[in-house]
Amino acid sequence: MKSDSLRWLWNGAAACVTAIGLTILSAPLTADAAKADFRVCNGTQSLVGVAIGYRAEAGWTTEGWWRIPATTCKSIIEGPLSSRYYYLYAEDADGNGRWAGSVSLCIAENEFKIAGVKDCFQRGYQKMGFREYDTGEQASWMVQLTEAPREGTDTQ
């Protein structure tokens, strides 16, 4: 009888610890999944530098550089997105990959936040082609950077 009581007590304690453990493990996953942001995932085997452009109340703004290690993701803009269109430029640290587009915006060599898109060179900046992303006014968005496609395949 005594061993049955101890077994019941042990099984009850183990179930309680398991339930608490699952609750603790799932809480961050639930909170993170619901978080609104503009997220960039680096699906390559290289470190990637990312710059973003957007139109704010004060006008056009470009910001950079976020360093995203291989096979990881990073939130570039945290919180619900306030614009429909965002513009992204990225390059890998090895110099082998570049994700660009046709929208010219200003960038700088080191960390930057630049207001305006005109006269990049005259203001001491560089001009680079950014790719446009139409978020459809979603609260959050994710861009996946992948290795350069082989010759003859379609690019994103």
Side-chain angles (χ1 to χ4, degrees):
M1 182 73 109
K2 187 173 185 183
S3 74
D4 286 341
S5 296
L6 288 175
R7 191 173 318 144
W8 177 83
L9 182 61
W10 175 252
N11 288 341
C16 186
V17 168
T18 301
I20 291 170
L22 290 175
T23 302
I24 290 171
L25 288 175
S26 66
L29 299 176
T30 304
D32 195 42
K35 188 172 94 174
D37 58 5
F38 191 100
R39 190 168 182 80
V40 177
C41 293
N42 176 5
T44 75
Q45 296 303 311
S46 301
L47 174 68
V48 172
V50 174
I52 193 163
Y54 54 90
R55 189 170 182 96
E57 285 184 25
W60 286 98
T61 301
T62 52
E63 296 184 60
W65 295 101
W66 284 268
R67 296 168 52 93
I68 305 176
T71 66
T72 64
C73 297
K74 187 171 280 192
S75 292
I76 304 302
I77 296 175
E78 295 186 357
L81 302 180
S82 58
S83 295
R84 177 173 176 172
Y85 297 97
Y86 287 86
Y87 302 84
L88 194 79
Y89 172 78
E91 56 186 42
D92 73 15
D94 301 332
N96 296 324
R98 181 173 292 186
W99 297 265
S102 60
V103 179
S104 293
L105 300 173
C106 303
I107 65 168
E109 187 73 26
N110 297 311
E111 185 177 324
F112 65 90
K113 184 171 185 175
I114 303 169
V117 296
K118 294 184 179 177
D119 304 320
C120 296
F121 299 118
Q122 293 87 332
R123 296 189 295 151
Y125 303 122
Q126 300 168 33
K127 186 183 279 191
M128 197 57 65
F130 282 60
R131 181 175 178 161
E132 179 180 85
Y133 289 90
D134 180 354
T135 66
E137 298 180 355
Q138 298 287 322
S140 61
W141 196 260
M142 185 187 78
V143 174
Q144 177 77 37
L145 303 176
T146 58
E147 300 285 352
R150 290 184 298 246
E151 191 172 325
T153 60
D154 207 17
T155 61
Q156 179 179 351

